Amino acid sequence: GAGVSQSPSNKVTEKGKDVELRCDPISGHTALYWYRQRLGQGLEFLIYFQGNSAPDKSGLPSDRFSAERTGESVSTLTIQRTQQEDSAVYLCASTRGGSYNEQFFGPGTRLTVL
Amino acid sequence: DQQVKQNSPSLSVQEGRISILNCDYTNSMFDYFLWYKKYPAEGPTFLISISSIKDKNEDGRFTVFLNKSAKHLSLHIVPSQPGDSAVYFCAAGPNDYKLSFGAGTTVTVRA
């Protein structure tokens, strides 16, 4: 595809339910990133993939959050037992890898936990 | 603990004039600095970057200045155009993958 795509664009869920967010990076991009943006705040780094491996998971806020990547392509971010404080826009980005390559962002998934 | 701060949440500027956006960071290990632009309902798009070995980088109407001793960077847009109306995020990090982002500055360019 031409750019990074994310689905769904909007997700409303009830507290306690699990959600799965999907990211399709730009074809050929080896590195993939997940960020979270809460209302009025900057982007928070969550996790980084190089290929299918995640060398840095330090940003995941709790063990309810997990992510995987397969085929050096699609990634899913899973949030279990959602809480109201999980409400945010979740952004995915990808790069060719290597140093100092700017990240290309998807449009984000807006998650609302009621 | 916000490591990157954009203290001005909004900026209004007349078309044709200069827009100056400011950003401060706290981590002296940060070596890579970027500005992103975001339109509503879209993801941020890369605008311009600078590494710590430089103090200025220009790309057309956009110039980024870095003052490492003050841990401060700024983005100058001149002349400002209506299409520049967007949210601008400053980002910084020790490398290009673990970036910390500011909360953004909303720029409105008045015709």
Side-chain angles (χ1 to χ4, degrees), chain A residues 42 56 58 98 100-101 103 105-106, chain B residues 31-32 36 43-44 96-98 102:
Chain A
D56 192 335
S58 63
Y100 303 119
N101 291 310
Q103 299 179 18
F105 281 83
Chain B
D31 199 39
Y32 185 48
Y36 281 83
D96 69 330
Y97 81 82
K98 195 167 184 178

Side-chain angles (χ1 to χ4, degrees), chain A residues 33 35 37 40-43 45 48 56 58 91 98-103 105-107, chain B residues 2 31-32 34 36 38 41-44 46 89 95-103:
Chain A
Y33 316 79
Y35 292 89
Q37 185 181 20
Q41 298 184 21
L43 281 69
F45 169 84
Y48 153 65
D56 192 335
S58 63
L91 288 155
S99 296
Y100 303 119
N101 291 310
E102 64 267 19
Q103 299 179 18
F105 281 83
Chain B
Q2 280 212 284
D31 199 39
Y32 185 48
L34 310 90
Y36 281 83
K38 184 182 183 303
E42 295 182 12
F46 170 76
F89 290 99
N95 49 50
D96 69 330
Y97 81 82
K98 195 167 184 178
L99 298 175
S100 296
F101 284 76

Side-chain angles (χ1 to χ4, degrees), chain A residues 17-96:
Chain A
K17 301 277 190 185
D18 298 351
V19 295
E20 208 170 81
L21 312 179
R22 177 186 168 111
C23 172
D24 286 85
I26 293 173
S27 177
H29 279 194
T30 57
L32 185 147
Y33 316 79
W34 283 99
Y35 292 89
R36 174 171 76 174
Q37 185 181 20
R38 289 172 159 156
L39 192 64
Q41 298 184 21
L43 281 69
E44 291 174 69
F45 169 84
L46 297 179
I47 188 170
Y48 153 65
F49 286 93
Q50 181 59 47
N52 294 331
S53 302
D56 192 335
K57 305 180 183 179
S58 63
L60 293 177
S62 76
D63 58 8
R64 296 187 295 104
F65 287 72
S66 62
E68 66 172 14
R69 188 179 185 199
T70 56
E72 298 197 358
S73 180
V74 172
S75 176
T76 53
L77 176 69
T78 302
I79 309 173
Q80 295 178 308
R81 305 181 303 281
T82 51
Q83 304 294 312
Q84 287 183 331
E85 63 262 27
D86 299 334
S87 297
V89 175
Y90 290 82
L91 288 155
C92 173
S94 69
T95 68
R96 293 189 304 274

Side-chain angles (χ1 to χ4, degrees), chain B residues 16-93:
Chain B
R17 306 294 285 266
I18 185 170
S19 295
I20 299 177
L21 292 82
N22 293 301
C23 177
D24 296 292
Y25 62 96
T26 58
N27 192 329
S28 58
M29 299 299 292
F30 284 172
D31 199 39
Y32 185 48
F33 307 89
L34 310 90
W35 286 93
Y36 281 83
K37 177 180 178 178
K38 184 182 183 303
Y39 292 118
E42 295 182 12
T45 55
F46 170 76
L47 196 55
I48 193 169
S49 66
I50 189 168
S51 68
S52 61
I53 60 172
K54 299 178 74 174
D55 57 14
K56 178 182 173 182
N57 190 27
E58 270 183 273
D59 185 1
R61 297 184 296 113
F62 302 91
T63 303
V64 56
F65 295 92
L66 174 64
N67 183 335
K68 280 211 84 176
S69 61
K71 295 192 183 67
H72 178 84
L73 69 156
S74 61
L75 175 69
H76 292 204
I77 307 172
V78 56
S80 300
Q81 298 174 353
D84 296 332
S85 296
V87 179
Y88 290 79
F89 290 99
C90 168

